[in-house]
Amino acid sequence: MQKILCIGSSFGSDGTHYVHELAASYGIETKVVNLFLPGGTFEQHWTNLQDETPVYLYEENGQFTKQKVSLSAVLAAEDWDDIVSHQASGFTGIQDPACHYAALLFDYLKHHCPQAHLWLQQTWAYEVGCEREAFAKYDYNQFLMYQELTVIYQALAEEFHVGVIPVGTVIQKLRQTAPFDVAKGGRSLNRDGMHLDFVYGRYAAGATWAKALLDLDLSDHRFEPTAQSEAELTTLIDETVMTT
């Protein structure tokens, strides 16, 4: 069984939601945990690592529990195969690539979880027309935000020698296709301008995680996220993930 931990936020919930089910459809057993901290930053993750305060809501295999846990306890509970982190998009892309708190976090993980492969989830730009205050830092420009996020996550990955799960790039590439081109009447991959749509947005993120962490070949398309999802659209997502 492959054990995957995300030290994350609501964007971690979006990224991990379908990974367990998607892997199971290919006969791969996983345990996928997201530690949910609303708007979590690298600084907060590092600070939380220094104490035993249970501030993270525990989410396993795409389902929330009522359990609150500390980061240190969860890290010690399993021999994690993969550990992924990210931070709130509103704080990313506007700071030094050699982020001090990210460095502290990843140094700790390398020392205390030497068996784990370490990753960053590249978060995505907000939807065109989103009015979130954090979007103002990018002049309410989706492509500018995408560029900033891409540069910062790649710089962090190179600085700390960790992998990147390119969810932001997959989402941006899908937005250039007719079904998901909002400017031309396509459907949005977001549900509120910021978080991913429960079906196609989350599926795109989950498929990206599955390819990166599990080396899944999605070309034969074995999984549909819901009974109502359209195979034509999920196949398009699979093709986009496989060519990213």
Side-chain angles (χ1 to χ4, degrees), residues 3-7 75 80-85 106 109 113 115-120 213:
K3 299 175 182 179
I4 300 168
L5 173 66
C6 180
I7 304 170
L75 286 172
W80 299 102
D81 296 292
D82 299 278
I83 302 176
V84 185
S85 193
F106 280 105
L109 295 174
C113 306
Q115 79 289 343
H117 294 96
L118 304 181
W119 303 81
L120 287 159
L213 275 59

Side-chain angles (χ1 to χ4, degrees), residues 139-230:
D139 298 327
Y140 295 100
N141 183 314
Q142 182 188 89
F143 190 67
L144 174 62
M145 185 175 187
Y146 165 67
Q147 287 181 311
E148 289 279 334
L149 293 172
T150 301
V151 168
I152 198 77
Y153 275 111
Q154 191 58 49
L156 290 171
E158 292 175 2
E159 178 77 15
F160 310 133
H161 305 288
V162 301
V164 176
I165 305 174
V167 179
T169 295
V170 168
I171 294 296
Q172 201 64 26
K173 287 175 70 173
L174 285 167
R175 286 167 170 164
Q176 311 311 308
T177 66
F180 300 111
D181 187 341
V182 172
K184 296 182 179 178
R187 62 184 302 149
S188 177
L189 288 163
N190 298 89
R191 63 183 186 267
D192 58 3
M194 181 174 71
H195 298 94
L196 294 179
D197 163 72
F198 286 125
V199 181
Y200 299 109
R202 281 188 164 185
Y203 178 69
T208 307
W209 277 62
K211 181 196 172 192
L213 275 59
L214 305 172
D215 197 26
L216 224 58
D217 182 354
L218 303 166
S219 57
D220 58 353
H221 188 69
R222 301 184 190 179
F223 178 75
E224 286 294 330
T226 71
Q228 291 74 38
S229 56
E230 300 176 34

Side-chain angles (χ1 to χ4, degrees), residues 63-77:
Q63 301 298 319
F64 275 112
T65 70
K66 296 181 179 180
Q67 184 180 7
K68 280 203 166 184
V69 296
S70 69
L71 177 52
S72 56
V74 173
L75 286 172

Side-chain angles (χ1 to χ4, degrees), residues 6-9 37-50 56 71 83-89 91-93 95-107 109 119-123 149 152-157 160 162-163:
C6 180
I7 304 170
S9 63
L37 182 69
T41 65
F42 287 128
E43 181 176 0
Q44 289 174 314
H45 295 319
W46 171 248
T47 300
N48 293 336
L49 195 51
Q50 308 310 299
Y56 293 89
L71 177 52
I83 302 176
V84 185
S85 193
H86 60 265
Q87 70 170 357
S89 291
F91 295 96
T92 308
Q95 60 184 355
D96 189 324
C99 174
H100 174 64
Y101 293 103
L104 292 172
L105 176 64
F106 280 105
D107 283 347
L109 295 174
W119 303 81
L120 287 159
Q121 175 181 224
Q122 175 204 10
T123 54
L149 293 172
I152 198 77
Y153 275 111
Q154 191 58 49
L156 290 171
F160 310 133
V162 301

